[in-house]
Amino acid sequence: MQNANLEVIKNASKSFYFSSLLLPHDVRMDIIDLYAFLRYCDDVVDETHSAHPQKRSFLEQLGRYGSHPALQQHTVGTTTPDVGSEFQISSQILSTYDQLAQKHHFSNEILSLFVEGMVWDVSNKLYETEDELVQYCIRVASIVGFYCCAIMGVTEELTLRYACCLGIAMQLTNIARDVGEDMSRGRVYLPLSWLSADLQQHIRTYNSAFVQHIQSGKDESTIDGLSPQDLTPLQRRSIEEAVKKLLALADCYYEAAEKGIAYLPFNCQLAVRTASKVYNEIGVEVTKKDYNSMDSRAHVTLSRKIVLFFHALVVFLLTAVVGLFYVKLVSVFTTRSTHQQEHYRKSTTYTPTTNPRDLSSSSAVLHTVKVILSD
């Protein structure tokens, strides 16, 4: 089963797979099993040929798992209840999650948050503000950080806050990269308040028709997505400016998360720091395209990932030398040079309304962490 899960992560997320190679074997295998489960759920939600009621039914059942005994009720080779035949899955992947949950004492609240985020996707929820988008990122990405912390044996509240920030940063990067791909599926994750008034109206009108279509029981493949070709030059520019803001916001969360890597087990730090650098580099690639992620999808080459690994390795080795005092000393190695900043990313006057640097005042982060720890 683990070989199959390795193929899942290798095909679905090359950046995640690359970074996972640096983890201790036991931690890596558990995280890969976890990723396969989460990826399966995500694929169910993103499948365009399945009707909306089937997806909702699947998520409702997933949300009722609670302490997860229902995961063991499936038999090998059966189809997940109330989900079409395209979602056939062996009971092994479900029971594997149950085993992970018991082994690492996963909080039930983490799964509940994840399911809520998936429900927002199925409902084609629009996000009016930056804070609403951050709440979504917590549910679909920060929960991965919480799970990984549990697998690594990390329970400290401060570390969980930093893990939450890294999840938000990575998801914001994914959204910035996938604008065109998401539009083709009828989804828009950019905060509407960042867009021009006419583009907001265009998106709202489309979304209303899309939601009505899927709620009637029809699958998403029978309705056209939003096409960038239908947008005016000014509307396209509005999206590019929003992507620019999104990457600026992601940078703030990467910066905040950077401080938390030192609190992870030493043998996990290199993998996490490499993953952070590789995902952040996706933003650099989007910037090179002048923030146009509607017409093509940015990616980081393998050679560039290797360079970023060595950058992370320098910091890792310095950490080993200077120990607890490393934070200030390695800042020059963890922040892009002024030359790179000017070359890759145009200056922006955008100031995030959420403040990841001041974690004590970040209500979204603190509330989520307290929910996780309260179990």
Side-chain angles (χ1 to χ4, degrees):
M1 186 61 185
Q2 285 195 326
N3 288 335
N5 290 345
L6 274 171
E7 287 302 311
V8 170
I9 185 174
K10 191 174 182 179
N11 294 329
S13 178
K14 291 181 174 58
S15 295
F16 196 94
Y17 176 78
F18 177 82
S19 302
S20 75
L21 294 170
L22 305 171
L23 288 168
H25 181 267
D26 290 346
V27 172
R28 179 174 184 251
M29 290 299 100
D30 283 354
I31 287 179
I32 285 172
D33 287 343
L34 169 69
Y35 183 93
F37 172 78
L38 297 176
R39 185 72 194 189
Y40 167 72
C41 297
D42 190 57
D43 286 345
V44 169
V45 169
D46 288 343
E47 174 56 56
T48 60
H49 294 283
S50 180
H52 179 263
Q54 290 177 314
K55 296 181 181 183
R56 289 300 294 259
S57 177
F58 170 79
L59 291 173
E60 286 170 4
Q61 291 181 58
L62 186 62
R64 288 197 298 267
Y65 280 164
S67 59
H68 319 298
L71 290 173
Q72 300 175 341
Q73 295 177 6
H74 301 287
T75 57
V76 175
T78 60
T79 302
T80 303
D82 295 328
V83 180
S85 59
E86 64 270 26
F87 298 134
Q88 286 188 350
I89 184 172
S90 164
S91 65
Q92 289 177 314
I93 194 171
L94 300 175
S95 62
T96 295
Y97 175 78
D98 188 43
Q99 292 169 16
L100 289 174
Q102 295 181 38
K103 177 181 177 181
H104 299 292
H105 309 289
F106 289 166
S107 166
N108 299 336
E109 296 292 345
I110 304 179
L111 186 59
S112 297
L113 285 170
F114 177 65
V115 170
E116 186 175 18
M118 294 295 96
V119 169
W120 289 0
D121 274 340
V122 168
S123 304
N124 233 52
K125 177 180 170 66
L126 295 175
Y127 301 94
E128 300 290 337
T129 65
E130 172 190 315
D131 188 62
E132 288 184 11
L133 180 60
V134 168
Q135 291 285 348
Y136 169 75
C137 293
I138 289 172
R139 285 158 176 77
V140 299
S142 291
I143 61 102
V144 180
F146 295 142
Y147 277 133
C148 289
C149 281
I151 291 172
M152 294 175 189
V154 175
T155 59
E156 291 82 1
E157 181 177 352
L158 180 61
T159 309
L160 290 175
R161 296 186 203 174
Y162 288 127
C164 185
C165 287
L166 184 57
I168 293 169
M170 289 180 168
Q171 186 63 25
L172 291 173
T173 301
N174 285 340
I175 292 170
R177 177 196 62 193
D178 296 339
V179 170
E181 187 177 296
D182 290 332
M183 288 178 66
S184 70
R185 297 204 306 264
R187 292 181 183 167
V188 176
Y189 292 98
L190 300 173
L192 295 186
S193 60
W194 289 1
L195 303 175
S196 61
D198 62 326
L199 182 54
Q200 288 185 41
Q201 184 58 44
H202 177 67
I203 292 172
R204 293 183 200 280
T205 300
Y206 170 85
N207 196 68
S208 178
F210 185 93
V211 170
Q212 185 176 5
H213 179 85
I214 61 176
Q215 287 183 344
S216 69
K218 300 175 183 177
D219 64 65
E220 297 172 14
S221 64
T222 59
I223 184 172
D224 292 333
L226 281 162
S227 173
Q229 283 67 43
D230 294 336
L231 302 179
T232 68
L234 288 178
Q235 289 174 334
R236 290 176 63 92
R237 185 58 186 164
S238 178
I239 288 178
E240 290 163 1
E241 286 296 323
V243 170
K244 183 178 179 180
K245 285 184 179 181
L246 204 63
L247 292 175
L249 178 61
D251 278 346
C252 293
Y253 280 100
Y254 280 119
E255 183 180 340
E258 175 68 29
K259 300 178 179 67
I261 296 177
Y263 298 101
L264 296 174
F266 187 72
N267 57 1
C268 296
Q269 291 179 21
L270 180 57
V272 175
R273 196 179 301 281
T274 300
S276 178
K277 285 183 173 294
V278 169
Y279 269 85
N280 202 355
E281 190 73 9
I282 294 172
V284 173
E285 294 300 321
V286 173
T287 300
K288 289 180 181 179
K289 296 174 178 288
D290 289 329
Y291 308 100
N292 176 12
S293 53
M294 291 173 281
D295 300 325
S296 62
R297 194 173 190 259
H299 70 281
V300 181
T301 64
L302 178 59
S303 60
R304 183 58 183 163
K305 289 176 184 176
I306 293 172
V307 170
L308 293 169
F309 158 71
F310 281 107
H311 286 179
L313 181 61
V314 170
V315 180
F316 178 75
L317 294 175
L318 283 175
T319 303
V321 173
V322 301
L324 296 176
F325 300 99
Y326 93 103
V327 176
K328 292 184 179 179
L329 295 178
V330 302
S331 60
V332 292
F333 295 95
T334 57
T335 304
R336 293 195 194 97
S337 67
T338 302
H339 172 73
Q340 285 180 309
Q341 289 281 8
E342 293 176 351
H343 181 71
Y344 289 135
R345 187 160 299 169
K346 299 173 184 177
S347 62
T348 177
T349 57
Y350 173 65
T351 302
T353 58
T354 52
N355 187 1
R357 293 187 182 88
D358 183 9
L359 292 174
S360 63
S361 68
S362 179
S363 59
V365 174
L366 274 178
H367 172 70
T368 305
V369 171
K370 288 178 180 178
V371 167
I372 300 302
L373 295 177
S374 66
D375 182 69

